[in-house]
Amino acid sequence: MIVDDNADVRFLIRAILEDADADVVVVGEADGVRAALESIDALDPDVVVLDAVMPIVNGFEAAPMILARRPAQKILLCSALVDDEVRAKAEQAGIRECMSKDDMDAIPGIAVRLALDGAP
């Protein structure tokens, strides 16, 4: 599941995932945490690809909301900048992994690895 406020970025991530050799299926998209929470149970994604910077509720705030509803949900945070501070904030929010938007081609591999990782 892709959660990003920018439709063009959602399109790009979907295209990268659909073009990947990995066995990845995009089950849905949301333009923010509200829309994500409304559909996440029905979609039952293995991994949520979550934008770090969104209006109203950012990714660091959205992750605990998602995890409160689905404690074992695996979340991959995409951020323009990934440094030690971002990693620490992500870990504190329960996010499994962070990646830079400069490396979007890595999303399929990371998503598959997270999906296959049995540990919450």
Side-chain angles (χ1 to χ4, degrees):
M1 179 176 194
I2 303 165
V3 182
D4 195 301
D5 62 302
N6 186 311
D8 291 336
V9 173
R10 288 194 312 271
F11 176 84
L12 177 61
I13 293 172
R14 176 182 280 278
I16 289 168
L17 288 166
E18 289 176 347
D19 288 345
D21 291 334
D23 186 21
V24 179
V25 176
V26 177
V27 296
E29 297 179 14
D31 62 1
V33 69
R34 183 179 191 176
L37 291 173
E38 289 174 359
S39 62
I40 196 166
D41 290 330
L43 296 173
D44 192 28
D46 292 323
V47 176
V48 172
V49 179
L50 180 64
D51 184 21
V53 180
M54 297 183 288
I56 304 171
V57 179
N58 68 39
F60 301 102
E61 298 163 333
M65 296 167 76
I66 293 168
L67 293 168
R69 183 178 206 122
R70 296 173 54 96
Q73 183 65 62
K74 296 163 186 165
I75 300 174
L76 167 58
L77 184 82
C78 292
S79 178
L81 171 69
V82 177
D83 59 13
D84 290 341
E85 182 180 341
V86 169
R87 285 185 189 92
K89 284 175 63 175
E91 185 177 339
Q92 187 176 24
I95 294 167
R96 295 289 296 272
E97 188 145 349
C98 300
M99 63 165 296
S100 169
K101 285 187 174 181
D102 291 338
D103 298 324
M104 281 197 183
D105 288 339
I107 291 174
I110 295 170
V112 168
R113 182 171 44 78
L114 287 174
L116 296 176
D117 178 12

